[in-house]
Amino acid sequence: MSRAAVAAARASGYFAAMQTERTGLEVTRRALVLGAGAALFLNLACPYSVLVLQNAGLTSDYIAAGAMMVFLVLVGLVNPLLKVTIKSWALRTRELVVVYAMMVVASAIPTWGLVTNLCHILTRPFYYATPENRWTELIQPLIPSWLAPHEAEAARFFYEGLPAGMGIPWGAWLVPLMAWGSAMLAVYLLMIATMVVFRRPWVEQERLVFPLAQVPLEMLRGNDEGIFPQLFRNPLMWVGFSLPFAIQVLDGLNHYFFYVPEVRLVFDPLMLFRDSVRLHIFVNFAIIGVAYFLNLNVAFSVWFFHLLSRFQTGAFNVIGFQIKGHNEALTGSSIALSHQGMGAMLVLVGAILWTARGHLRQVFGAAFKRGVQADDGDEILSYRAAVWLWIVCAAYFLGWLLLSGVPVVAAVVFFCGAFAIFLAIARVIAQGGVGFTSSTMLPQPFAVYTLGTDVIGWKGLASISLSYSWAAEMRTTVMASTANALKLAHGHGANHRRLFWGLVIAVVVGMMGAFWITLYLNYTHGGINLRQFGVPTLAYRFLEDKIHNPVGWDHIRPRLLFTGVGAALMGGLIYMQHHFPWWPLHYIGLPVSDSWVMGVAWFSVFLGWLCKAVIFKFTGTHGYLAYKPLFAGLIAGQLLGAAMWMVIDFFLGEIGNVVYVGVR
């Protein structure tokens, strides 16, 4: 055999080995089993923690605090112990990536993301109906029997607890749970398929930073090279860890022993514009740590645009500018700012589609043209499968909306608005990376103030009001979680087709566990004795308001004007960002600048930006890299300090020991 042939054979063997290494079942069965178990654990533990212990929300924000806590313990303690005791049981880096991906996707389901809100929304009109509110006449007939348990006892025992010896009325819940479970599975699969399609443009072409994926990335660095990953061997990490952890210890002790001093990090707000605008001052080390991983211009824009939005609201208040109607809950600080943010999000979605237009042509060509092969070997799902999965799930959910009473036009507008908001937020998280944010507009008021109440009808209003269960607070979504999971998986070669099924398993197992524990806790303890969520109240306040105060063109016209203003501002910012390198403001901060979550998180983002700016100024890129463990330690200390008290509270049966993880 000639040297050339030998070289070719060796090269062929090498590349074959590399291909085997890349796709060679690194998504192992034990990783899938462990990921499913971790997803189930989070969906059981988080509702218990929030409802019974009434402490911090572990799954309420994009940082996925619960998943991060479990991952810290797994990577920094459990896996090193396995390496020195039962080496064959120790998990490789790619397996840990799979476990984290499944956990972070499942984290968007149990509490604020879907289940706890949904169970309370479905029972509230049958328990809280009174002669004064006339819900028996106005609201109950609008809710189909297959969407909610109509039995009076099912609702009463949900809030008051079951009588001795009586079991949970699963029969009353079976059909509604199947209906909602299938609809939400379709929505979640649609979200996963969307991120499969956009992974390459975002990760490989635009090279977005994905700051929230950087934290687990730092935890995994060097995992296969020694007993502990590099982060846990770095003294700076433990320096950063010690400060928030010590503060969490003191705050938790203060709950048990009044004489232990409390370190107060929530300060009195600044009152501006004749006391009409509040500027919250809140120091959170996890937010500071995440902000350090943002690009400087992105971090600057996040807090700067928030201050600018507060200035705009204050100016409107001082001059007395008003728009007919009232602002909706969980949106911006004013009607104008809410719709301005929606305009910005719509333009952002348009920019996303336009930038990826070449890639999208290839994707749709592979889906609809015979013989066209797409370069999708490194995706967790083929492009053909992703596109058809998207179409089938969208058709199913739209049909579900129609059956629930939403007219065709309203169903399309609501679906498109919800999809645009979720995609825009996913982009903000992938590029901006602030783990604590939300939308300034919700799809329900977007549909109402686009079409008017007469077009939607009372039954349609009731149906979209029920969607407050999964499309309201916007503090966590499966779409954004999937984007971070795919970024991490691709960077570690865990992007095997099995990972798609791992994410599906995490969603299904998570929903089943969350529904079971939520119903069990409410029927066992009585819902009125547990922590009450605000979203169910807001859902029916929205419905009542639209029934008694119809929305017409005089409400819609000024809102459309500010939607256009937001679209124009966003378009101008995108143009300046792409055409003038010196332009200091990044457009990604505008769409979420006026959200209520950003109103709490902005000051900590400012502190993280300031720290990074100073480090860059005096030490450059080398200093930024050197200090990354310090800020990763801030995140770890905040999370594990809260986790420690949750475990202690569980065993002591203590309630209300709120040790902050995120914004609340």
Side-chain angles (χ1 to χ4, degrees), residues 228-281:
F228 289 95
Q230 293 178 9
L231 179 67
F232 298 90
R233 290 177 269 157
N234 193 312
L236 278 178
M237 183 271 189
W238 296 107
V239 172
F241 179 94
S242 61
L243 176 60
F245 187 81
I247 292 175
Q248 299 282 53
V249 169
L250 288 175
D251 289 347
L253 287 174
N254 173 263
H255 176 82
Y256 284 91
F257 309 103
F258 68 92
Y259 49 83
V260 175
E262 177 188 13
V263 181
R264 183 174 173 81
L265 297 177
V266 181
F267 302 94
D268 293 335
L270 299 177
M271 304 303 296
L272 307 172
F273 296 95
R274 301 176 186 171
D275 294 340
S276 66
V277 172
R278 288 187 175 188
L279 202 59
H280 295 280
I281 308 297

Side-chain angles (χ1 to χ4, degrees), residues 10 48 53 77 100 102 176 247 339 352 369 539 550 558 589:
R10 287 177 177 174
Y48 185 88
L53 300 181
L77 179 62
Y100 181 78
M102 294 175 69
I247 292 175
H339 290 268
I352 292 170
K369 295 180 181 178

Side-chain angles (χ1 to χ4, degrees), residues 33-56:
V33 171
L34 184 58
L40 178 61
F41 169 76
L42 288 173
N43 277 267
L44 295 176
C46 294
Y48 185 88
S49 172
V50 171
L51 292 173
V52 179
L53 300 181
Q54 301 182 28
N55 50 30

